Amino acid sequence: CAAPLFLSPVPLQGLERTEHEGFGGGNTAWEEEKLAKYQHSETRLLEVLESVCAPSDFACNQLLERSEEQVEQWWFHEQKQHPDFFQWLCMDKLALCCPPGTYGPDCQPCAGGPQQPCSGNGRCDGDGTRRGTGLCVCNRGYGGPFCAECGDGYYEASRNKSHFVCAECYQACGRCTGPEDSSCLRCKRGWMLHEHRCIDIDECGTEMAHCRANQFCVNTEGSYECRDCSTACIGCMGAGPSRCKKCNKGYWRDGAKCLGECVPQAGGRRCLLPVAPALPELRFLPDVDECASAEEPVCTGVQEVCENTDGSYRCVCARGYVRRDGQCVEDKPPDAPEKGFFDDVTEDEVVVLQQMFFGVMICALATLAAKGDMVFTAIFIGAVAAMAGYWLSDRSDRVLDGFMKGR
């Protein structure tokens, strides 16, 4: 109920405690005659209310303060007509609670009826309050909308007119007719029914299990477990270094086992081998070509090949390929820019072209000079003199040599 202060037995205890008390000190007879009897006095009411709420219970003290007028009204005027203080205040006046076996704003009957909600095998949601759904929350072993039948994994062991008892089935049975393993009607998850018996399903053997890459499966009753492989393994089929699919880096395969933790050295590796339980021994083991002895390719990258090293191996790019941005790509020079028309012309060829140009110009000037034009005649004589000086220079020998060779 939403009225915690009135659900507790404290108010009743306070009434019982003060039932035979009276006014303290002075002339009691005169006080009882003039101030009314203590049993129905305000003094007694205050003494009762002082012990109702704990000092730290804020909700209780707040509700008591809000209900002060109603409490005084019942104390002085309503006690005889309504002796049940809880019902008068919490149900009738404040509308905070409902009678047992009812729930909700209108105090409707709980599922199964108000006399025996939920068949006595569960609790009614919101029972005795103005809240809840009125639906049954069954006790362990019971089920149905009114908790009037046995739940999954239980069978009816006994019944009479007022109640019945549900007992637990055999551990693998979802439904059964008795406690024996041969009385199953339906199996729990992870079990299979066969001739009224539930047989465990091996999830590991039937590939129903889902474990991570570096784990192995262990079947259990009705289920399975995923356990981590040994640190010596990369993938495994069971526990220990003898069930490895591949040996982890730094471990040495000795027959079926991946043993020791090894450090590469020239010509092999130095490994810590368990010669006897709890008695490791440091030994030098000769190098093994992991590239040739591995059952599966060691290097799996595109155009990668395995290269054996002392006590280990490494993955390099195949011939004709280089590693760029973590991948092996074809080793070829970058595309060169297109060449211009004169990019391949040598220096000697440039000189020859210059000579040809001057020759054409002199011929043109000679033609014009032959017509008697004095200006062109002068230009012609100057061009001939310039050519003569060029041929007599230091470069004339190299130029003539190139010309003679047809260059």
Side-chain angles (χ1 to χ4, degrees):
C1 182
L5 99 92
F6 301 113
L7 276 179
S8 68
V10 174
L12 296 178
Q13 292 175 358
L15 290 172
E16 294 175 358
R17 177 175 53 80
T18 60
E19 183 177 3
H20 302 292
E21 293 185 4
F23 296 106
N27 189 340
T28 303
W30 180 87
E31 289 176 346
E32 289 183 354
E33 180 181 354
K34 302 295 184 182
L35 302 177
K37 293 189 176 295
Y38 173 80
Q39 295 294 322
H40 303 287
S41 66
E42 185 175 358
T43 302
R44 185 187 177 196
L45 174 62
L46 293 174
E47 290 179 358
V48 172
L49 294 180
E50 283 177 356
S51 59
V52 168
C53 298
S56 59
D57 193 340
F58 175 76
C60 178
N61 283 284
Q62 188 180 43
L63 181 59
L64 180 61
E65 184 178 351
R66 290 204 312 262
S67 309
E68 183 177 352
E69 292 184 5
Q70 289 92 338
V71 172
E72 292 180 354
Q73 180 183 354
W74 178 84
W75 182 259
F76 294 114
H77 308 290
E78 303 286 346
Q79 285 195 60
K80 291 183 179 180
Q81 296 89 339
H82 303 282
D84 191 337
F85 175 65
F86 174 78
Q87 180 175 348
W88 181 85
L89 181 64
C90 297
M91 297 184 191
D92 301 338
K93 292 296 181 181
L94 301 180
L96 295 174
C97 303
C98 287
T102 62
Y103 76 99
D106 301 324
C107 295
Q108 298 176 339
C110 288
Q115 302 303 320
Q116 193 178 25
C118 304
S119 306
N121 299 317
R123 63 176 180 83
C124 168
D125 181 37
D127 188 4
T129 73
R130 300 280 175 154
R131 304 184 305 275
T133 63
L135 300 178
C136 289
V137 181
C138 298
N139 297 334
R140 180 181 175 87
Y142 296 87
F146 306 110
C147 303
E149 56 189 67
C150 294
D152 286 349
Y154 288 80
Y155 70 96
E156 189 175 306
S158 63
R159 177 186 288 269
N160 57 31
K161 293 182 179 180
S162 60
H163 71 282
F164 67 102
V165 177
C166 293
E168 195 168 3
C169 297
Y170 180 70
Q171 60 176 354
C173 300
R175 299 291 294 178
C176 66
T177 57
E180 300 83 9
D181 63 347
S182 58
S183 59
C184 297
L185 299 175
R186 177 170 56 82
C187 297
K188 293 180 180 178
R189 185 177 180 180
W191 303 81
M192 179 177 60
L193 187 65
H194 178 69
E195 296 182 353
H196 298 291
R197 282 184 167 86
C198 291
I199 302 171
D200 176 48
I201 297 174
D202 185 359
E203 290 85 357
C204 302
T206 56
E207 298 184 355
M208 295 174 63
H210 300 283
C211 295
R212 296 197 302 270
N214 211 37
Q215 291 183 327
F216 64 96
C217 178
V218 177
N219 188 56
T220 60
E221 288 191 347
S223 186
Y224 67 93
E225 294 178 357
C226 293
R227 299 179 184 175
D228 293 336
C229 296
S230 168
T231 54
C233 303
I234 299 178
C236 63
M237 298 172 289
S242 62
R243 304 299 304 278
C244 297
K245 293 180 179 179
K246 290 175 62 177
C247 292
N248 207 346
K249 187 174 182 179
Y251 287 82
W252 169 267
R253 183 175 289 279
D254 183 11
K257 293 184 178 181
C258 293
L259 300 178
E261 192 166 355
C262 304
V263 178
Q265 289 189 351
R269 62 185 74 188
R270 191 167 296 278
C271 300
L272 196 64
L273 299 179
V275 179
L279 185 62
E281 180 179 317
L282 196 63
R283 290 184 180 178
F284 179 79
L285 300 175
D287 181 47
V288 172
D289 189 350
E290 292 88 353
C291 303
S293 61
E295 297 178 0
E296 300 178 2
V298 176
C299 300
T300 57
V302 179
Q303 299 299 337
E304 275 189 347
V305 294
C306 178
E307 183 178 278
N308 188 56
T309 61
D310 288 336
S312 186
Y313 68 92
R314 62 187 175 191
C315 295
V316 298
C317 293
R319 187 174 182 179
Y321 291 83
V322 294
R323 193 175 297 278
R324 289 177 184 161
D325 298 329
Q327 295 182 344
C328 293
V329 297
E330 189 175 356
D331 186 14
K332 61 180 182 180
D335 295 336
E338 295 184 2
K339 294 182 178 180
F341 182 76
F342 296 102
D343 285 350
D344 293 332
V345 178
T346 63
E347 184 177 351
D348 290 343
E349 291 172 339
V350 172
V351 173
V352 172
L353 290 173
Q354 290 175 348
Q355 293 172 355
M356 292 173 64
F357 174 76
F358 284 128
V360 172
M361 293 296 298
I362 291 174
C363 290
L365 291 173
T367 302
L368 294 172
K371 294 181 178 181
D373 193 325
M374 296 301 293
V375 175
F376 287 108
T377 302
I379 295 173
F380 172 73
I381 294 172
V384 170
M387 287 295 297
Y390 180 82
W391 283 98
L392 295 175
S393 65
D394 294 338
R395 300 178 61 188
S396 61
D397 293 341
R398 182 168 58 85
V399 173
L400 287 173
D401 182 65
F403 182 78
M404 294 300 294
K405 292 179 180 180
R407 300 175 62 187

